[in-house]
Amino acid sequence: DGAPAEQIALLHLEHQEVVIALRGLPRRQREVLVLRYYEEATEAEIAETLGISTGSVKTHASRGLHAVADLLEGSA
């Protein structure tokens, strides 16, 4: 009975850590990652929305993901 509550609490903490890490990113990286992973937009949709090329979307996503991973490893 206690496991689901613990899992929910852990997921909430992980979500908070990700949100904090996203806030530490440059604006464009944050926008790309939010559109991609929270809004589930495609690279083409993100490019159109932000007025940038799909190559730029890929670059911002890659750099943003690496930065978030580094920030999360530092908080672990």
Side-chain angles (χ1 to χ4, degrees):
D1 291 333
E6 289 175 8
Q7 290 173 347
I8 291 170
L10 287 174
L11 285 174
H12 181 71
L13 287 174
E14 289 172 2
H15 176 76
Q16 284 181 317
E17 290 175 359
V18 170
V19 169
I20 291 167
L22 285 170
R23 288 182 182 151
L25 296 179
R27 180 183 55 87
R28 188 62 82 187
Q29 290 176 11
R30 183 174 57 251
E31 291 171 338
V32 168
L33 292 181
V34 167
L35 288 170
R36 181 69 184 106
Y37 294 101
Y38 286 90
E39 298 296 323
E40 298 181 0
T42 65
E43 290 172 348
E45 291 168 336
I46 296 167
E48 183 177 339
T49 299
L50 299 179
I52 60 177
S53 70
T54 55
S56 290
V57 170
K58 291 176 185 181
T59 298
H60 290 301
S62 176
R63 290 178 181 167
L65 286 173
H66 281 95
V68 166
D70 289 344
L71 290 168
L72 292 176
E73 285 177 8
S75 70

